[in-house]
Structures are given as structure tokens and as C-alpha cells.
Amino acid sequence: MKYFYFLILLLFIQSSTLATAKNDSTQTIKSYRLTESLVIDGVLSEPMYSNMAITTFTQKDPDEGKPASEKSEVWVSHDDYNIYFSGRFYDSNPDSIDVTLMRRDNVIESDWLFVYLDTYNDDRTGYYFAVNAGGSIADGTLFNDGWDDNSWDGIWENKTTIDENGWNVEIRVPFTQLRFKESEKMVWGVNFNRDIKRRHEMSFYVMVPKNESGFVSKFADLVGLDGIKPTQRFELLPYFVQKAQYLVHDENDPFYKSNQYKTSLGADLKFSLGSNLNVDATFNPDFGQVEVDPAILNLSAFETFYEEKRPFFIEGSNIFMFGYGGANNNWGFDFSNPELFYSRRIGRPPQGNVTTQGYVDYPSETRILGAAKLTGKIDESWTIGALSSVTERTYATIQPEEGGRADEQVEPFTHYGVFRTQKEFNSGKQAIGLIFTSVNRDLNNENLKRRLSDQAYTFGADGWTFLDEDETYVITGSVIGSYTQGSKDYLLRLQKQPYRYMQRPDKTYMPLDSNRTSIAGIFSRVMLNKQKGNFYINAALGTVSPGFEYNDLGSQWLADRINGHLVTGYIWFDPDEIFRSKSVYFAYNRTSDFEDNIERSGFFLTSSAQFLNYWGFNVQVSNNFKSISKSLTRGGPKLNIPPNYSFYISAYTDSREKIIVSPGMGYWRNEIGSYEFKSELEIEWKPSSQISFTFGPEYSTNFTSYQWVGNFADQYAINTYNTRYVFADLNQKTLSANIRLNWIFTPTLSLQLYIQPLLAVGNYEKYKEITNPPTLEETQYGSESTQISYDAETGTYTVDPDSEGPAETFSFYNPDFNFKSLRGNLVLRWEALPGSVFYFAWTNSRMNFENPGEFNFKNDFSNLINSESDDILLVKFSYWIDI
């Protein structure tokens, strides 16, 4: 295996000799300038429709390359302020047209029209607008020549009608919603896609074959827009939020009533700088979430990652993506490009603790005083994004039992900054980008100085280059440096983070240094991707040094790592007698650290196929060799991990049906008997065009023979670095479900219900300690010269690790758990006017911890239902003003 990295490097070099001819689209579409207004009513009766329409559509599915089965007519027109897209879609069975209603951006199989625009004509970025026959809509942005992001919500209009010939649509998009460069001869890129649900048919004006790569770069030219001048964009979005909280609380809590009803006012501002750049600003922003985060039981040492749901940060977020451009695919295998900008760090709950005993009014979030964001393009090939945000100095109020109140600072005044830019060359064949992030805190509190950095920075460069004219092979790469500064106490905390564990007693490379006041590190990765044809290759090499740190504004889970992988595969795009399509991929991957401890090494196989009836399945199999874990002892010595294997299989039924079933099952096991079995099932039922119901239960049972319990100092534990590392066997059962009800009354009025019950029970037994690391040799408590006892009244285990020697006894609480959670969210959303939205939301959550270690579904469910709950009612209204 020592030649593995050399093999990947050889593939990079050899690939540069490959070259074929480029095949660009030369199709042209004209936008007709309107001489009279176009009424958006879905009735195609204006004189403009006597002009020649676009009628040539080619299937991508189910019969690639064949003409569309039904005739389509599409027109593009414009006036000084708007661009219009109109379509007449003939159907031989108009009664079969699907008019399913869905919430915005929830694209499910239906009869759709998708409009794609490359307004900069840069062959890589753009917008999409989609309308189905029922009038439901979706929109978003395009980037990386084929990837999409639905977080952008433009303000535009549409209307659909159905008649005896088929269905019709008219769309009006204001030029103010689009970014483009003004020029005397305006040329955009454009493409159209029509879907017919009952036939699983997807046809395009410019159809990119499945064995090709790219999408935006293949668009047709849209001409006729000469003379269009961008209108200055200036939008104001004030909001009002009223919240009522009815929470489980101490009746004597003096702060409860004052926090029960909260009113918030604020506004977002959006305006353009010229025709290319967009500025978002906010005053007292509403960063409250309408939807709830899922409940998760996390027994690992790492932080749980949650998706961003706040509108200010969502819009334009793909501009800040780093390290992924150029390639259409990316594989990780215990490695990935760092997420340097994790926006949920801004406005997070305060990180400080209070030192005074008593009732505490602790803020649930850190108020953002202001935030601004600049996004857009300098020209067709130069993208820029910048964000600046300031959060206030935050205090918790404490009232001791003897009376009197005091304030303690729990979060300092902080500035967060991000700058991102990327420049493309040679029509997108090469690119280079830069990113810079900074966190600067005004630390005037000793308690916070021990917990937070004073300043933290990252600076990175990324880019790509295609190796051939046909853009089949591409190399992408990135390099990042980091620097973090703080007090000695904080740097000790930082060095002990679970992705670093510099305090390990057997660490030889960059061990813990108690005198540090700063830490720095570097990340680098290079990847080769073959992204055309039936045969597939992906390979990567990456390193990240132990001192690399970006968690102040990013989401970090790795450091001290050297990683490489090689993936090969083959894809059959053409149907045969059994399958409509199928694929198989085989990979080898290896991860080590800067001490050459192999943390993962093994093979991975995945295969998927779709039958002619549109049912399908996926199978994944892995086999990992013996490796080393540096985290199992939570800062203690490394331990040997035995070989293991796993498999997972999932399937799905035809997505056109009213009932769609998606089962899955997986199994993992290692050589010493630890295992996990998981089964899941998702059922989606669509009883009508307005209602859909999804029920997704999951059940898993696992046995872990080395579940960490605790580390206990003992000067007589000589073989284990004067510490006893205590483990146990853990039997765990987890039962959960995701339940959703979508009731869409109209395309602008909807009701969504989300319920998530979760039951996780863990029973610890056979407590033991490691005696000879890195081996898994152990001494089980209660055997030989050891003793263990349990006090049921205090829930405490007491261990004498050497009843015949000088070692002292130690104690720990019973780690058995029975975590029960029920979270629900009901949201009524009404888009009263374009861009103006009214929300009513009710959130109910409850938890219960009775009967730890005992799994009894009937009793557990009863205990959960009878538990007290937190209820939050929220009314929000935002009003869009186009100034």
C-alpha cells in the first residue's frame, strides 16, 4: 500500500496527455420586444404569440435522443422592465396532466416547465425558474456548470391554465431580480426543460447527453435584448414577530414571566451597485427559525452539525463555497474540504458560563447588531462575496436566593468577517480563488478569556484546471492556512479538542504545549476527476496539520490527517432487457496522521440500478483493515481497532404513484463482536393533488464492546500513563420517525406539520479498563483483584481497581440512559403579496429520561406523552417594498 499515493500522482500526470475536440452548442433563441403589455393570466392571446415559437425539444428520459412525445411551444419576450417566458404545452390526454400543488422549492415529479438563464453568459452560473401545471413554483441559482441551489427566492409572477389542448403558462421576471452586465450587444445563455409526469419524460431544448458533463456551458444563445439597461434595485423588507412561550419552568423563577412574551421589529435592505453587485444589509435582523432542528442523540465527542435555515445567510451562500469548483463530483472517505464559513456560528447561544449560584436569565441567542453582505460579479468571469457582522456584548442576569441581582458577561462584542473571490480564465478551463475569514473579539472578562479566542483567521486559495480541450479530465486543488490567538488557558482547551487531542500521553508529533498563546496550521488537497463517458475515475490526496484550526467561524471535525483515495467505476446509461440504467463503483481509501498511525484503510463497493418499471435499488459494501483510533479514549492513548465490514441496501418504487415506498437496511460488525443493525422505511402517500403525507420510521440496535465511560487519574496506573481508561459494553436501541403532512391550499397558502418522536435506550454493563495500550487488553471490574459496587440510591458505581494494592477507589455515575423526545412543528405560510409573507407557527417539544437502561415501548411512550411540554407560538409578517 505504500505505493498508493504514487499511483494517484501518476494518474494525474498521465491524464494531461488526453485531448479531444470541443463540441459547443450554437443554437440561438430570440427574445421579442413587446410593443404592448403582456397580461400574466395564462391565456396566450396577445399578438406576440403570432411570432415563431421554440418547438424543438429532445428527450433525456426515458428515450435519450428521441424527440419529445408531445408538442411544446415556448416564447421569450421582454419590455424595458421585465423578461417574459410563455409556453403552450400540448397533451394528447389533458385529463392526465398533473396539477399537484406543493410548497415553494419542493420539486417532486409533476408536469413542469423549467427556465434556465445564464445572464452573465459565463457558461458556469445562472438562475432557474420552474412552474408546474398547478401553479406551484421553484427557483434558485446555478453554479459550477451544473450544480443548483434553491435557497435563493426571487420575486416574480406566473399564471397557468389548462384547456382541451394541454396546459399554458406565462412568467414575468423583473430585470431587477437578475444580475447581468450591461453591454451594447447583450447575449445571455438560455435553456428550457419540460417534464411529463405520467411518462417519466424529461425533454430539453438543449439536451446534454448523460455521458457528458456540464450544463450551463451548453446553453443556447439568447439574443434580442440589446438596449436593456439594468434598473437600480432598492428593496426594503421590514418584519414583525410576536412570540409567546409556555415553557417547563421553576415556579419560583423570577425571570420566567418577563421572557414569556417577546416582540421583535427589524428590517432587511437590498440594493444593487451597478448592474453586477448586490448588497444585503439588516437592522436588528430576525434570525429566529420557523422550523425546528431535529432531535439527535450524540454519544460522540464531536459537535452536531445543523443546517442553516435563516434567510439572510441562505441567499447567495453558494458564492462562499470553497474547494469544490471545476469538478462535477467529490468523494470524501474521512476527508473533505473544510467548511470555513458555518453561518450558524453568528448569533449562536452565548458560550460563557456564570460563576454565581442562583436563578439565571441566560440568553438563548446572541443578538446581531447588524450584518451586511456584498455578492455578485465584477465581470463575466470574476465572482466576489463579502460578509460582515457584529454581535453585541451579551450578559446573563443572576438572582441569588438571598436576593439582589447581578449581571455576568457570557459573550463578548465580536466581529465576524468573510471575503471570497474567484477568477476564471480561458472560458472557464482554469480558475483561481481566494477566501479570507476573521473573528475578532473584545475580551475584557477573564472568564471569557479562558473560553474564547481573541482573534482567529483563515486564508485559502483554490482553483481548477482542465487537462484536455473536451473538459473530460479536471484537477481541482486548495490550500488553506489558519492562525488562532488567545490566552494560555484557551489554547490548552483548543489543543484538547476531540479532532486534535494533543494531550495524548503517547503523542510524539506536536504534543500539548501549556505555554502556547497561538496555534497555526495548514490544509491542502488535490483531486483528479474524470467527468465524461461511461468509465469513471476520481482520485485525491489531502493533508491537514495538527495545528489547523477554523472552528471559530467554521465547522471543524478533522485535523492531523493525511488522506488519499482512488475510485473507479462504470455507468451504463442505455436501457437493456431488465434495467433502465445501472452503475458500479469500486474504491480504495487510506487515512493516517502525521505519526503514520493508520486510522482507516479499506475497500468500498457501491452499485445502483433502476428497472424498466422505474423501481430501483442501491447496495454498498465496505471492508476496513486493522487501524488505530486516537479518539476512543477521549484524550488518552491510541488503541488498536480490529477489522470490520458493513453493507447497506436501499430501494424505492415508482415516484409517479400515489404511494411511494423506500425501504433500507444496513449491518456493521467487527472482529471482536461489536455490531450495528439498522432498518428504515419511508412511505409517501399523496391522496390528492393538495395533500401529501410522509411517514419514515427508523430502528437500530447496536452492541459496542468498548464504549467510553471516563478517564480517572491514578498514579499507580503505570502501564496506562497514570490514568485509568474505563469502558463498558453498551447495548443500545433507537427508535425514531419523521412524520410530515403537507396541505397546500393554493400555490401561495400552505400548512405543514412535522413530528419527530425519538426513543434511545442504552444499557451499560461489564465495566472494564484498558491495561496495555494500544492493545485492547482489559481487566473487567469484579474479576481478579478488582471490585465494583453500585449504590442505587445515588446512582453511583464505586471501583477499587486493586483491592490488594495501594490504588485508590474512584466513582462515576451510572451512564445508562433512556432519552425520549417528541418535537412537533406546525407552520401556516401565506404569501399575501409577491415577496410579502405571513407565518403562524406552533412548536411543541417534550423530553423524558425515566427508566434509564430499560427499553419498554409502551411504558416509554406513555411516559413521554405524559411529560410536560414546551410550547412556542409565533406570528411573523414581512412586507416587501420595492422602492
Side-chain angles (χ1 to χ4, degrees):
M1 299 302 177
K2 64 181 180 180
Y3 301 106
F4 170 64
Y5 297 139
F6 175 76
L7 174 62
I8 296 178
L9 183 61
L10 187 62
L11 281 170
F12 289 160
I13 297 172
Q14 289 179 336
S15 299
S16 63
T17 63
L18 300 174
T20 58
K22 187 174 180 180
N23 180 25
D24 284 333
S25 169
T26 57
Q27 300 179 77
T28 300
I29 295 174
K30 181 180 179 181
S31 176
Y32 299 103
R33 186 169 187 90
L34 296 174
T35 57
E36 59 182 63
S37 62
L38 199 67
V39 180
I40 304 303
D41 57 5
V43 179
L44 281 56
S45 58
E46 286 84 352
M48 192 278 295
Y49 297 114
S50 62
N51 291 314
M52 182 178 296
I54 303 160
T55 59
T56 307
F57 282 75
T58 304
Q59 290 188 48
K60 189 166 188 173
D61 280 311
D63 300 314
E64 183 177 336
K66 291 186 178 181
S69 64
E70 301 282 357
K71 181 181 178 181
S72 299
E73 294 179 339
V74 175
W75 293 266
V76 183
S77 58
H78 67 278
D79 55 27
D80 289 336
Y81 305 102
N82 310 281
I83 187 168
Y84 301 85
F85 305 96
S86 310
R88 179 181 288 124
F89 303 107
Y90 294 89
D91 200 305
S92 54
N93 294 290
D95 292 342
S96 300
I97 294 173
D98 185 76
V99 293
T100 298
L101 297 180
M102 58 206 78
R103 41 193 184 90
R104 185 170 187 160
D105 294 332
N106 183 30
V107 178
I108 63 174
E109 194 141 8
S110 183
D111 283 45
W112 286 97
L113 168 68
F114 281 81
V115 178
Y116 302 97
L117 285 177
D118 175 7
T119 56
Y120 283 105
N121 202 25
D122 61 9
D123 290 346
R124 299 201 64 81
T125 65
Y127 301 87
Y128 70 87
F129 304 88
V131 182
N132 86 329
S136 295
I137 67 170
D139 57 6
T141 55
L142 305 171
F143 62 103
N144 200 31
D145 194 16
W147 294 5
D148 63 83
D149 179 5
N150 67 3
S151 61
W152 177 78
D153 285 337
I155 299 173
W156 49 285
E157 297 178 70
N158 80 94
K159 182 65 177 179
T160 61
T161 59
I162 296 177
D163 56 32
E164 66 277 6
N165 296 317
W167 67 284
N168 313 291
V169 62
E170 291 181 313
I171 299 170
R172 174 167 54 202
V173 180
F175 284 125
T176 57
Q177 298 298 300
L178 305 173
R179 299 290 93 209
F180 57 92
K181 184 174 178 59
E182 182 182 355
S183 63
E184 292 184 4
K185 190 171 182 60
M186 191 88 69
V187 179
W188 292 1
V190 69
N191 202 359
F192 300 98
N193 161 216
R194 178 189 178 181
D195 291 351
I196 302 175
K197 176 180 176 178
R198 69 180 185 279
R199 293 184 178 141
H200 263 307
E201 184 174 318
M202 179 187 299
S203 58
F204 290 82
Y205 178 67
V206 181
M207 192 276 291
V208 181
K210 297 174 186 175
N211 62 357
E212 292 288 324
S213 178
F215 181 59
V216 180
S217 56
K218 306 298 194 298
F219 285 5
D221 289 339
L222 178 63
V223 299
L225 297 172
D226 301 347
I228 295 300
K229 295 185 179 297
T231 303
Q232 177 67 39
R233 182 181 188 182
F234 200 96
E235 301 174 7
L236 186 66
L237 190 70
Y239 79 88
F240 164 82
V241 174
Q242 179 62 59
K243 182 184 292 187
Q245 302 182 107
Y246 304 93
L247 310 178
V248 178
H249 64 284
D250 185 336
E251 293 183 355
N252 298 318
D253 187 344
F255 301 109
Y256 176 72
K257 288 186 177 181
S258 60
N259 291 326
Q260 195 169 1
Y261 302 100
K262 294 184 177 180
T263 303
S264 300
L265 296 170
D268 293 341
L269 175 67
K270 188 188 299 287
F271 62 92
S272 57
L273 293 179
S275 62
N276 294 348
L277 300 176
N278 203 65
V279 175
D280 293 90
T282 185
F283 170 73
N284 193 25
D286 169 32
F287 289 151
Q289 293 178 213
V290 174
E291 296 185 13
V292 297
D293 290 318
I296 295 175
L297 178 68
N298 186 354
L299 297 181
S300 74
F302 296 91
E303 176 187 18
T304 299
F305 180 89
Y306 291 107
E307 292 184 359
E308 180 61 83
K309 298 177 181 178
R310 300 173 296 181
F312 176 82
F313 291 113
I314 287 176
E315 186 170 348
S317 59
N318 63 74
I319 290 178
F320 297 95
M321 290 184 64
F322 178 83
Y324 293 101
N328 65 2
N329 214 329
N330 180 73
W331 297 69
F333 293 110
D334 277 352
F335 202 87
S336 66
N337 291 305
E339 184 160 357
L340 299 178
F341 177 37
Y342 178 35
S343 56
R344 287 189 67 150
R345 294 286 184 236
I346 304 176
R348 70 194 298 182
Q351 302 169 77
N353 56 2
V354 295
T355 59
T356 306
Q357 297 295 318
Y359 291 102
V360 180
D361 182 11
Y362 197 94
S364 59
E365 60 188 29
T366 303
R367 191 164 70 95
I368 300 175
L369 297 176
K373 180 167 59 176
L374 171 70
T375 56
K377 288 201 167 193
I378 303 298
D379 56 32
E380 290 86 346
S381 61
W382 190 356
T383 304
I384 188 171
L387 181 143
S388 179
S389 178
V390 176
T391 59
E392 72 174 355
R393 198 180 305 276
T394 306
Y395 295 85
T397 303
I398 304 98
Q399 179 170 311
E401 294 183 2
E402 61 272 14
R405 291 188 177 184
D407 291 334
E408 287 197 34
Q409 188 180 156
V410 290
E411 185 74 20
F413 180 80
T414 307
H415 173 262
Y416 299 90
V418 186
F419 175 78
R420 171 71 163 137
T421 186
Q422 190 171 74
K423 175 70 175 178
E424 298 175 18
F425 305 92
N426 193 17
S427 300
K429 284 186 170 58
Q430 291 85 33
I432 187 168
L434 301 174
I435 192 170
F436 174 77
T437 72
S438 67
V439 177
N440 304 94
R441 297 185 174 96
D442 181 17
L443 293 172
N444 59 3
N445 177 284
E446 291 300 321
N447 185 31
L448 292 178
K449 286 181 179 180
R450 289 191 290 268
R451 302 184 64 85
L452 298 173
S453 66
D454 173 48
Q455 51 188 313
Y457 304 98
T458 65
F459 182 82
D462 66 340
W464 71 81
T465 180
F466 284 94
L467 302 178
D468 58 312
E469 285 296 320
D470 196 39
E471 300 183 1
T472 299
Y473 289 83
V474 62
I475 288 181
T476 64
S478 59
V479 60
I480 312 166
S482 71
Y483 176 82
T484 303
Q485 178 179 296
S487 67
K488 290 183 180 181
D489 288 336
Y490 173 70
L491 263 295
L492 276 176
R493 290 168 55 89
L494 202 59
Q495 293 176 79
K496 293 179 180 180
Q497 289 300 306
Y499 47 82
R500 189 172 289 118
Y501 281 144
M502 288 182 173
Q503 75 271 31
R504 278 178 33 231
D506 57 352
K507 188 167 178 58
T508 59
Y509 185 89
M510 201 172 174
L512 185 142
D513 182 353
S514 59
N515 289 316
R516 278 187 177 275
T517 56
S518 66
I519 194 169
I522 191 168
F523 167 96
S524 63
R525 193 184 194 209
V526 61
M527 181 177 68
L528 167 73
N529 195 62
K530 179 182 182 292
Q531 46 197 36
K532 288 186 180 181
N534 299 85
F535 180 65
Y536 178 81
I537 295 175
N538 181 278
L541 289 171
T543 65
V544 53
S545 70
F548 186 60
E549 173 64 29
Y550 60 96
N551 209 44
D552 280 271
L553 191 50
S555 176
Q556 185 164 357
W557 61 275
L558 82 166
D560 192 9
R561 191 164 295 192
I562 303 171
N563 172 272
H565 72 252
L566 174 63
V567 182
T568 62
Y570 197 88
I571 309 170
W572 291 264
F573 295 107
D574 298 326
D576 56 28
E577 295 180 353
I578 301 176
F579 298 106
R580 186 166 298 281
S581 64
K582 51 187 181 293
S583 66
V584 60
Y585 298 94
F586 182 73
Y588 173 74
N589 62 97
R590 184 182 189 272
T591 301
S592 61
D593 65 4
F594 279 64
E595 298 173 341
D596 201 28
N597 295 308
I598 299 177
E599 299 180 57
R600 174 171 170 170
S601 175
F603 293 99
F604 175 78
L605 174 70
T606 180
S607 180
S608 62
Q610 186 180 75
F611 295 100
L612 295 177
N613 65 354
Y614 295 98
W615 290 35
F617 68 88
N618 174 265
V619 177
Q620 297 180 2
V621 179
S622 70
N623 184 77
N624 295 311
F625 305 117
K626 179 181 176 180
S627 59
I628 292 290
S629 172
K630 300 183 301 180
S631 60
L632 201 60
T633 55
R634 308 292 174 93
K638 61 190 179 185
L639 294 178
N640 294 332
I641 300 298
N644 63 79
Y645 67 88
S646 69
F647 73 85
Y648 180 81
I649 182 170
S650 61
Y652 57 88
T653 61
D654 189 343
S655 60
R656 296 172 298 180
E657 303 299 328
K658 286 191 173 184
I659 298 179
I660 306 169
V661 182
S662 303
M665 181 183 69
Y667 184 73
W668 173 91
R669 190 178 185 89
N670 67 16
E671 282 193 355
I672 58 175
S674 296
Y675 69 88
E676 179 180 9
F677 172 78
K678 179 180 180 179
S679 62
E680 55 189 353
L681 176 68
E682 181 175 280
I683 300 175
E684 182 179 3
W685 177 40
K686 296 174 284 188
S688 72
S689 63
Q690 294 177 280
I691 298 175
S692 65
F693 176 78
T694 303
F695 176 59
E698 297 180 10
Y699 174 75
S700 66
T701 177
N702 65 281
F703 170 75
T704 304
S705 53
Y706 285 91
Q707 177 63 44
W708 179 80
V709 175
N711 300 338
F712 304 91
D714 188 337
Q715 62 178 319
Y716 298 104
I718 300 175
N719 290 339
T720 54
Y721 305 95
N722 301 323
T723 302
R724 300 195 181 275
Y725 299 98
V726 180
F727 292 83
D729 292 352
L730 170 62
N731 286 283
Q732 181 178 337
K733 294 179 173 61
T734 304
L735 179 64
S736 65
N738 291 303
I739 304 169
R740 292 186 183 274
L741 171 66
N742 292 321
W743 192 345
I744 315 301
F745 306 107
T746 72
T748 59
L749 179 63
S750 63
L751 181 70
Q752 292 102 44
L753 172 66
Y754 170 71
I755 301 174
Q756 187 209 29
L758 171 65
L759 169 61
V761 180
N763 177 34
Y764 289 74
E765 56 186 7
K766 296 182 180 179
Y767 294 93
K768 51 201 168 187
E769 67 177 60
I770 297 296
T771 58
N772 187 29
T775 73
L776 293 179
E777 294 178 17
E778 64 180 58
T779 294
Q780 184 173 321
Y781 295 143
S783 65
E784 302 177 7
S785 61
T786 68
Q787 295 179 356
I788 184 170
S789 60
Y790 180 63
D791 186 339
E793 185 174 342
T794 61
T796 303
Y797 284 97
T798 300
V799 175
D800 186 344
D802 185 9
S803 59
E804 299 176 357
E808 295 184 359
T809 62
F810 61 90
S811 300
F812 55 86
Y813 287 109
N814 184 354
D816 288 353
F817 60 86
N818 188 329
F819 174 71
K820 300 175 283 293
S821 167
L822 181 63
R823 311 189 80 180
N825 189 221
L826 181 69
V827 179
L828 177 70
R829 181 186 187 276
W830 176 38
E831 188 171 354
L833 296 168
S836 302
V837 184
F838 171 84
Y839 287 100
F840 171 79
W842 169 47
T843 300
N844 176 276
S845 60
R846 62 190 71 201
M847 292 186 293
N848 184 276
F849 303 92
E850 294 182 66
N851 308 119
E854 301 176 14
F855 182 84
N856 185 309
F857 177 77
K858 181 179 179 180
N859 290 342
D860 290 336
F861 186 75
S862 176
N863 289 337
L864 178 59
I865 294 298
N866 292 327
S867 299
E868 292 185 90
S869 66
D870 292 334
D871 289 275
I872 300 175
L873 299 175
L874 179 148
V875 174
K876 174 183 176 182
F877 181 66
S878 56
Y879 184 73
W880 178 65
I881 303 172
D882 186 7
I883 302 176

